Amino acid sequence: MRRAVAFIGLLGIAVAGISLSIMPMSRPAAAPSEQRTFLIPASDGYGIADCISSKSECGKIVANAWCESQGFGKVVAFGTADRTDFTGTVTKPTPVAAAEQPLSITCGE
């Protein structure tokens, strides 16, 4: 009985190893000339708003990591989003506190 259980366990481990070796390890990269801008809420819960809005070195690291996680090569621009990026066609401007203003990350190549 122990041999049967050990054999089934060993077989399961072998099948899992084979399936992991067959699966692609990374996401396909975006087209080289394609750029995309992402709007991220400043209160996203990760605490990255200070780095990205100040355009400091830590912001560049965070923005590059964001772009790579979305399948892009590197960050093109990052910072606080422009009002026209998130208000759309609203004709009457509404006051938005700086803490609530979304962040913008543009990824490319």
Side-chain angles (χ1 to χ4, degrees):
M1 181 71 173
R2 289 183 187 174
R3 288 183 185 175
V5 172
F7 179 72
I8 291 173
L10 184 61
L11 185 63
I13 292 172
V15 168
I18 292 171
S19 66
L20 287 176
S21 66
I22 294 173
M23 290 175 38
M25 297 306 285
S26 63
R27 300 171 82 184
S33 62
E34 182 181 353
Q35 286 189 355
R36 185 167 177 194
T37 300
F38 297 93
L39 293 177
I40 304 166
S43 59
D44 65 351
Y46 293 108
I48 61 170
D50 293 335
C51 284
I52 292 181
S53 62
S54 66
K55 295 189 177 183
S56 62
E57 186 63 31
C58 71
K60 185 173 184 178
I61 294 169
V62 170
N64 272 325
W66 176 269
C67 290
E68 288 176 13
S69 72
Q70 301 299 318
F72 290 87
K74 63 180 180 176
V75 67
V76 175
F78 65 94
T80 307
D82 188 45
R83 289 191 64 73
T84 58
D85 291 337
F86 64 91
T87 57
T89 59
V90 176
T91 57
K92 182 180 177 185
T94 57
V96 176
E100 297 175 5
Q101 196 163 349
L103 306 170
S104 171
I105 298 177
T106 303
C107 303
E109 324 186 348

